Structure formats: C-alpha cells, structure tokens
Amino acid sequence: MWVSMRFTGVIEIIFNKMLTDDIKKEIENLIKYLNSDYLKRGTKDPKEAAHINSYVFRESGIILEMETGSKVRIDEATLRVKNILTTSLGSKYKIGVRRVVLHKPTIILDNRISISLKIPLIKSIVNDGEHSIIELIELDENDLKKPLFLRLLRLIEDKEQRAKWGGKSEHWILIKKSDRKIMKAYVEDPNDVLERIGWMKRMSIGQWLYTPPLTHMLNALKRLFIDEVIKPLGFEEATFPKMYPLEVGLKTGHLKGVINSMIFASLPRSYDISEFEELIDLMYVLNEVPPEELQKYLRTPSYFLCFAQCEPFYWFFENEILDDNSLPVKWYDYSGPSYRWESGGIHGIERVIEFHRIEVVWLGKPDDVIKIRNNLLERYEYFMDKVLDIEWRMAWVTPWFYEQSGTFQELKENIIEVNRPGTIDFEAWLPYRGEREDNKNWIEMGNISIHGTKFTEAFRIKHNRGETLWTGCSGFGSERWFIVLLAQKGFNIDNWPKKYIEYVKTTPFPKSLNTVTYPKTKDNRELLAKVIDLFKW
Ligand code: ATP
Ligand code: ZN
Ligand code: MG
C-alpha cells in the first residue's frame, strides 16, 4: 500500500428546526448505520473508510468528530453524512439541513512533506518528525466539491508518491538486448575527436555549431532513420513550433514535472525602440550587456522552449472531435531543436542544452496505438540490429507518476505486459566510458511511449462516437545515435554499416575547415588530416 493518509475533521450540521428527542433518537440510529455500513462502502479495509468517533447535539444541530482513511475521504464522508440525514429525516420529521461546515479539516501524512503555505485553503502545516499535519481552513459544502480542494489532495498524493520512490524518477526493467557485437572496443571519446578536428565548436554551455562535414553525417543518419523506420510505416512530416505558451506546459504536465530543466522565453516590454534608449546608451559605453539592466526591459516569461517536441501535437487536437476517417493520425517533426537545462550533466554532444531530434507522434484508438507502437518497435530493432549493427538493449521504464494512476504492474516471472501505457527506452553501450557491465557506461539514445489517455484527457481530444483515444510518441535524438555509432565503430569508415555509408556518399562530402588558426593546435590539425584521409573516396 502506498498511501498512508489520514483525515480528521469536525462536522457541524445545522438544521432548520430545533431537534426533538425523537429526532435525536433517529439521528443516533442513523449514526450507527453510517458507522457500520454507509461510511464503509467503497473499500474492503475499514481503516481506509470513514468513522464517526463521537458526537454532541446542539439545540438545532449536531457536531460530529470524524476520522477517515484515503478511500472514503473526509470530503466524501461529510457529504454522505449530510445526505443520509437529509433524506432520512426530511420526509418523516419535516426537517431540513440548513448548513454543513467542516471545521479543522486535517490531513495527517506518514511522511515529512513540505507544501507551499501560499496555497489557498491551507491554514497551517506542522512536521513533527514522523508526520506532516496539514490543517485546512474551514470548508462548507460548496468548498468540498470545488476543484481547488480536489487538486490540493491530488498534489499531496503526488508528493507522497514521489517521496515513496525515494528520488528515483523511474523503474527500469530490461526487455531485450542484442548480441555482444563489439570484440575490440574503440576507446576514444568521439566527442573529443570531433571537437579537436574542428568539425564542431562550442558556442556556449551545451550548445555547438556543427560545421558542414558533421552536419552532413548527422543528416545522413536522420535520413537513414526516416527511410528505414518511419516512412515505411506511413508517418508523414509536419512542422511544429519550437516555443510554446505556458498553458500548454501546464496541460502536458511538464511545467509541474520538469520545470527545473526547462528554458523560458520573454518578450520585450515595448516595441518602441526609443524606450530602450537608456539601455542602448549603456551598451555603447560599457561595451557589455548588463543582464540585470536588460531584465528591466523584458516582460515576465510567457513561453518555454521546445522540451518534449510532441507538445504541439496534443495542443493541435485540443477540443477536436475525430472520426474513423481521420484516424489514426501519424506524423513526425524534425523542424528544429529541443532545449533542456542539464545543469552539470553536460558532455560533448551527448548531453547538450540544444539538441536535435526526430519526434514521431501518433493518435488513435487504443488497439491502433498499440499496434503502431509495436510496428515501430520492430523497425527500431531492425534499425539497430541490421542497419546500424550496434550493441543495444531496450528496457521498460515506468516513471513514478504512472504507478499511482494504477497502470504500474509488478514484474511477474520476468514477463512484463508491454501492450499498455508506458515507455520503452533504447540504450547503447559507450565503450569509451568503460565496461559494458556497468550501467553508467550506457546511454539512452531514444524511446517510445504509449501515453494512454494522459494527453487526450488533458486536451479533451474526442472521438465522434465516444470511443477512447490514446496517443503515443517516440524521440530519436540524432546527436545521441550518432555518438553511439562513432563510439562503437570508431572513425574508420571501413567499420561502418554499409547502408549508412551509402547515405553519407549520396552527396559530395563537404570540405573540413582548415585555416591559419583553426583547428587550434598542431596536434589537432594532424588529427584532422588523418580523418580527412579516411573520408577520401
Ligand atoms: P536521459 O535520461 O539520458 O537524460 P531523458 O530520459 O531525459 O534522457 P527523454 O526525455 O526521454 O530523455 O528524451 C527523448 C530523447 O531525446 C532521448 O532519448 C535522447 O535521444 C534525446 N535527449 C534528451 N535529452 C538530451 C540532451 N540533453 N542532449 C541530447 N539529446 C537528448
Ligand atoms: Zn514525445
Ligand atoms: Mg534527461
């Protein structure tokens, strides 16, 4: 069991008449019924249900002390009490409920969690070392039914869940792996070589310029992937924006889940250049851009830069009603870069702030979405094994937020059911990092996901006959695949997969830049000469 969440509160029910002894007797019987039956419905575990611990009568009301688990929560229990009293007393005694108030609604959690006190509804939070005790403001019947309250509970559940996962963001289960293919490992870091020979130059942290030879090789790989994997399955190219309004990130969940790795964009405060005069004067004289000054001329951020690359797909179909004629929808986009703040994790072009990816997206009925995923999976395997001939493995990864939505299954007898929402990662060994036995020497180069209704619900994407719609997506990070290829095969094109060479050779190989000052050192220029030699054909 993952939740240990208890609720307490004091329910005050005010009637529109004084309570006679008869009515009080009747109420006492109803409380017995509530405790033994009605408040226990909905769960087998009585601890997870609700219980009235004590009560006192007032002239025209009653005050009940309630304690509940998480299956029949205090909000639901309060409404049940009110409903029973209304229906059972109303006709018989001509008495009605005028008002219901929940005093001191309190949530008691096993864990220490912290929650923002800025959230409306929260009155206080006390952590006593073992528990977190969250007291809410007084709630009336309407408050209990409001989305604000339900979303607060959802937030608390998510925090509990995340705490249980102990900081891990996903579970990892191996599905399949290739044969051992690398007998004599090439141990150089291809990132170093590419930088030394000047095929790429770092512009700023995690951001590179790829000169024509490197661009040529990356493009050949992308074309190969498109021709071998995506096109045969009937996907068609679309062009997605690369800067998204914040609301889109709220709906996809990215703003709530990975805001620490997102990059934001701001518009200027004014379009009138004269309003920038002071700043411009300053830049003239100082010959620098003081960032704190610049900030004064910018609006607060209103966009985030392309993070997952499939966001625009869900946005596009928001509130649309689809029919069988238009389904399934199968698109891909590689019209621009993705951006991720990776903090200290940056390395070469494997983990960058600005990277390039072919994002494959699809939308359809569950069976079709699964079938498309499986077809893609088959093509990916063929691509890794037969086309690129690399050493790979794939794993089922479950992010923590899937488990609590009930879609997570324990591994049974080493068989996992993959025809359901979830993610499969493709990974490859990077020999330059070290032994293949150590997981940290592997890199994720791509993945493929079925989201179930996660996005069709959030964006209210509907079918005209009410059938369920699912989505799926898959990301091919071209830098990652390229580095994997080089890391496993080295720079000697004799070792490269035939199909890839074919694609590299379809157009003349661009000239490497070799100037007075670039590449920098004599060593590097000699290395470049060697590489150029390898690429003569
Ligand atoms: P990792 O665990 O390596 O950070 P991730 O789980 O963040 O990967 P996803 O969010 O699944 O990666 O992104 C999909 C694909 O995008 C990855 O498989 C990879 O090909 C590519 N990708 C992600 N982040 C980067 C990055 N910082 N630099 C280059 N490519 C990236
Ligand atoms: Zn995606
Ligand atoms: Mg990452």
Side-chain angles (χ1 to χ4, degrees):
M1 267 312 292
W2 54 272
V3 182
S4 164
M5 208 190 268
R6 312 251 353 124
F7 297 82
T8 61
V10 179
I11 306 169
E12 181 179 8
I13 294 177
I14 302 155
F15 296 97
N16 57 3
K17 275 196 349 204
M18 303 254 278
L19 299 179
T20 62
D21 285 348
D22 279 355
I23 298 178
K24 287 183 186 168
K25 245 220 140 55
E26 180 79 29
I27 292 178
E28 289 187 325
N29 284 332
L30 289 171
I31 289 175
K32 278 189 199 125
Y33 163 71
L34 278 160
N35 268 344
S36 62
D37 181 336
Y38 197 45
L39 289 178
K40 301 291 182 286
R41 289 188 197 172
T43 170
K44 288 197 191 93
D45 181 358
K47 282 235 281 298
E48 288 298 317
H51 196 81
I52 297 163
N53 287 337
S54 67
Y55 56 90
V56 284
F57 287 109
R58 292 283 153 84
E59 256 189 11
S60 59
I62 179 171
I63 293 178
L64 310 114
E65 293 218 12
M66 171 88 83
E67 185 179 351
T68 85
S70 60
K71 287 283 154 41
V72 184
R73 285 186 322 237
I74 192 110
D75 50 322
E76 164 73 16
T78 305
L79 298 174
R80 285 192 196 180
V81 173
K82 185 230 160 176
N83 288 343
I84 283 293
L85 293 181
T86 312
T87 50
S88 309
L89 302 174
S91 51
K92 200 159 160 198
Y93 297 98
K94 302 272 172 298
I95 184 170
V97 170
R98 189 191 293 157
R99 207 164 119 74
V100 178
V101 184
L102 182 60
H103 300 278
K104 283 175 148 278
T106 305
I107 306 166
I108 304 157
L109 303 166
D110 251 8
N111 262 312
R112 266 190 85 111
I113 67 159
S114 59
I115 268 197
S116 168
L117 280 166
K118 285 194 188 140
I119 296 175
L121 297 185
I122 293 186
K123 192 167 155 194
S124 70
I125 301 173
V126 181
N127 289 305
D128 69 1
E130 280 173 51
H131 306 277
S132 302
I133 299 151
I134 303 168
E135 191 184 326
L136 309 183
I137 58 169
E138 198 175 281
L139 302 169
D140 66 19
E141 191 177 349
N142 273 334
D143 296 331
L144 290 174
K145 295 177 184 162
K146 272 189 194 147
L148 204 62
F149 176 72
L150 298 173
R151 289 198 294 251
L152 172 65
L153 291 179
R154 181 70 207 276
L155 168 69
I156 293 168
E157 276 170 12
D158 275 6
K159 289 207 180 208
E160 276 274 285
Q161 184 61 15
R162 218 191 280 236
K164 295 259 151 76
W165 276 58
K168 267 191 294 176
S169 60
E170 53 192 31
H171 280 164
W172 188 97
I173 302 162
L174 181 70
I175 300 176
K176 206 170 184 180
K177 60 180 182 188
S178 71
D179 297 336
R180 283 184 169 221
K181 297 186 178 179
I182 304 163
M183 298 310 158
K184 211 171 110 250
Y186 172 84
V187 292
E188 240 168 321
D189 180 347
N191 293 290
D192 284 348
V193 179
L194 291 169
E195 187 178 11
R196 285 181 58 201
I197 64 175
W199 277 11
M200 62 187 202
K201 183 173 178 178
R202 203 180 72 117
M203 184 178 215
S204 72
I205 179 159
Q207 196 193 29
W208 298 79
L209 188 153
Y210 308 144
T211 65
L214 181 51
T215 303
H216 183 88
M217 304 232 289
L218 282 165
N219 285 347
L221 190 57
K222 287 185 227 175
R223 278 191 290 122
L224 185 61
F225 175 72
I226 289 169
D227 288 352
E228 294 289 339
V229 180
I230 310 185
K231 281 211 177 134
L233 298 177
F235 286 89
E236 290 174 316
E237 188 179 352
T239 303
F240 291 171
K242 293 292 171 286
M243 189 167 88
Y244 314 138
L246 296 179
E247 308 84 74
V248 173
L250 193 64
K251 287 198 182 122
T252 60
H254 288 109
L255 276 174
K256 286 177 265 179
V258 288
I259 191 165
N260 59 320
S261 18
M262 298 169 83
I263 301 181
F264 296 88
S266 296
L267 299 174
R269 275 198 199 283
S270 166
Y271 188 63
D272 178 356
I273 185 98
S274 69
E275 291 194 24
F276 291 81
E277 201 170 338
E278 280 192 17
L279 179 64
I280 295 168
D281 291 354
L282 212 56
M283 290 189 292
Y284 258 94
V285 179
L286 298 180
N287 197 27
E288 59 179 59
V289 210
E292 347 38 83
E293 282 304 311
L294 172 62
Q295 195 165 29
K296 294 179 191 157
Y297 295 81
L298 301 179
R299 293 191 211 175
T300 49
S302 45
Y303 301 93
F304 64 101
L305 302 192
C306 171
F307 183 90
Q309 207 176 327
C310 46
E311 299 94 334
F313 184 60
Y314 319 122
W315 162 84
F316 179 85
F317 287 102
E318 180 163 25
N319 289 328
E320 301 292 354
I321 299 169
L322 291 104
D323 51 21
D324 288 353
N325 265 334
S326 47
L327 291 170
V329 183
K330 292 156 80 178
W331 292 351
Y332 66 97
D333 163 82
Y334 69 123
S335 61
S338 298
Y339 295 88
R340 279 190 195 185
W341 176 238
E342 298 276 3
S343 188
I346 288 148
H347 180 78
I349 56 169
E350 280 162 39
R351 187 174 296 278
V352 280
I353 304 304
E354 181 174 293
F355 64 95
H356 300 81
R357 166 171 53 186
I358 301 171
E359 178 74 5
V360 189
V361 289
W362 60 105
L363 163 69
K365 297 181 196 174
D367 284 348
D368 290 335
V369 166
I370 291 171
K371 208 170 107 206
I372 292 166
R373 197 279 315 268
N374 289 342
N375 290 338
L376 257 176
L377 206 54
E378 220 174 84
R379 295 302 293 182
Y380 264 109
E381 192 174 331
Y382 160 81
F383 187 69
M384 295 188 287
D385 239 9
K386 299 286 177 315
V387 180
L388 296 185
D389 188 31
I390 52 175
E391 201 168 312
W392 57 269
R393 67 185 186 194
M394 51 174 96
W396 180 258
V397 291
T398 309
W400 66 271
F401 47 82
Y402 268 116
E403 184 175 19
Q404 56 105 43
S405 57
T407 43
F408 184 77
Q409 273 184 344
E410 283 301 327
L411 182 65
K412 283 192 199 97
E413 294 152 13
N414 288 324
I415 298 164
I416 38 165
E417 166 48 18
V418 296
N419 287 333
R420 61 192 172 90
T423 295
I424 293 170
D425 274 357
F426 305 109
E427 303 180 348
W429 177 35
L430 295 178
Y432 82 82
R433 285 195 191 169
E435 297 294 300
R436 60 160 78 68
E437 285 68 31
D438 190 344
N439 279 339
K440 73 176 194 307
N441 301 328
W442 290 66
I443 193 170
E444 174 194 325
M445 54 199 167
N447 62 27
I448 178 166
S449 293
I450 296 177
H451 317 118
T453 57
K454 182 170 152 63
F455 298 120
T456 49
E457 259 170 31
F459 289 86
R460 295 183 305 271
I461 306 171
K462 299 256 161 66
H463 182 270
N464 64 331
R465 285 194 313 274
E467 290 191 49
T468 302
L469 293 179
W470 281 10
T471 57
C473 78
S474 174
F476 175 94
S478 38
E479 283 93 347
R480 293 251 175 119
W481 285 83
F482 181 65
I483 289 296
V484 162
L485 193 66
L486 282 186
Q488 294 197 1
K489 314 260 175 204
F491 277 77
N492 188 347
I493 66 165
D494 293 343
N495 301 330
W496 285 7
K498 273 214 298 293
K499 234 356 203 299
Y500 181 53
I501 295 181
E502 223 176 82
Y503 271 64
V504 173
K505 283 187 176 175
T506 47
T507 51
F509 198 79
K511 223 173 132 201
S512 298
L513 199 71
N514 197 349
T515 76
V516 181
T517 53
Y518 191 91
K520 270 255 156 348
T521 63
K522 186 163 160 272
D523 269 6
N524 291 348
R525 280 201 288 273
E526 278 168 16
L527 186 60
L528 174 62
K530 270 198 225 157
V531 172
I532 289 175
D533 226 33
L534 290 170
F535 283 79
K536 276 211 177 98
W537 50 68

